Amino acid sequence: MPDSGGGCCRCCCSFIFTLGLTALFMWLSLRTSSPKCLLQRIYIPALDKTLNPPGNTTLFFELRLENTNKDKGVYYDPVNVTFFDNPNRNHSIGNFTIVKFYQGHKKKATKGGDFNASGLDLAAVSREISNGSAIFQVDMETSVRYKIMAWKTKRHRIMVGARVNISDQGTQVNPKKRIKLGSSAEMIGSSYGKTIGSLSLFFFLIYGEF
């Protein structure tokens, strides 16, 4: 008699293997990467010792936002940027909101703004600069949705920031170097979420339920 049990086993293994490959390909096509966020310029005329008389307390800045996804667009909600004149975030000197926008596949965007940093303690910051440099903090917060073919994902919150050393010219110490805005907690959560998501999808396709 033919070994029907062996053939059935091979058929089941082949079916499970095919489902596993399908889950893998779906995960690869649906997974997303967070935009890369950088501060590429900051300038405060009031701290620029080369100006005589010193400039006003307007703070100018530029962000560089990069969509690292090859085949997914990014819809940004309004982008809120806040500056502090110390790394402890206990003294905000002002903020600016960049209007919402769309960014295509692998596209880069430069978004800037300016505001009156009226909360800046010029005397204290100038003393720090005279001893080397003043340490500022910049935070960026927004939510994004990813466009995958004809549909959009749910909103993903982004909260990133970085410390910036300000020189006696009112700019970052190395003005030609872009400063990456990042968050270790966000990176861990993103990696964990993607891993759990891919495993959940895999078992859903095989067993039909979680």
Side-chain angles (χ1 to χ4, degrees):
M1 295 179 64
D3 187 4
S4 59
C8 181
C9 182
R10 285 193 297 271
C11 182
C12 288
C13 289
S14 176
F15 178 68
I16 293 174
F17 180 72
T18 301
L19 285 180
L21 286 179
T22 302
L24 176 62
F25 289 135
M26 288 185 66
W27 174 70
L28 290 174
S29 63
L30 294 177
R31 68 172 182 169
T32 57
S33 298
S34 298
K36 186 177 181 181
C37 310
L38 306 104
L39 175 69
Q40 68 176 16
R41 179 174 179 262
I42 179 173
Y43 179 53
I44 308 172
L47 300 176
D48 190 348
K49 300 302 182 183
T50 66
L51 297 180
N52 189 19
N56 58 42
T57 56
T58 301
L59 187 152
F60 302 88
F61 73 93
E62 283 184 356
L63 296 181
R64 180 80 163 182
L65 303 174
E66 302 178 0
N67 179 5
T68 59
N69 297 281
K70 293 182 179 180
D71 52 2
K72 301 171 186 68
V74 180
Y75 288 93
Y76 291 82
D77 283 351
V79 180
N80 299 311
V81 186
T82 305
F83 287 85
F84 305 83
D85 61 6
N86 64 78
N88 299 319
R89 297 185 174 92
N90 57 17
H91 187 213
S92 169
I93 60 174
N95 57 60
F96 186 88
T97 300
I98 299 169
V99 298
K100 61 183 181 180
F101 67 98
Y102 172 76
Q103 190 173 46
H105 309 165
K106 298 293 287 184
K107 295 296 183 180
K108 302 175 182 179
T110 298
K111 299 290 182 178
D114 62 82
F115 60 88
N116 183 12
S118 56
L120 180 64
D121 188 340
L122 284 175
V125 173
S126 296
R127 284 195 299 270
E128 291 182 25
I129 291 177
S130 65
N131 294 325
S133 64
I135 301 177
F136 279 38
Q137 175 73 30
V138 54
D139 287 343
M140 191 200 89
E141 181 179 354
T142 187
S143 294
V144 298
R145 289 177 295 165
Y146 299 95
K147 181 181 179 182
I148 303 177
M149 293 181 288
W151 56 277
K152 303 175 185 176
T153 67
K154 66 178 183 180
R155 281 181 168 82
H156 299 266
R157 191 176 184 186
I158 294 178
M159 298 177 65
V160 292
R163 294 182 176 182
V164 186
N165 291 331
I166 302 297
S167 72
D168 60 3
Q169 295 183 357
T171 65
Q172 62 225 53
V173 170
N174 186 352
K176 294 184 179 180
K177 182 180 180 180
R178 294 170 179 163
I179 299 174
K180 183 178 180 181
L181 308 182
S183 168
S184 57
E186 179 195 41
M187 293 174 64
I188 293 172
S190 176
S191 175
Y192 177 80
K194 289 176 181 178
T195 302
I196 294 299
S198 61
L199 290 176
S200 298
L201 179 61
F202 176 80
F203 286 115
F204 175 76
L205 289 175
I206 291 178
Y207 299 109
E209 61 181 0
F210 293 101

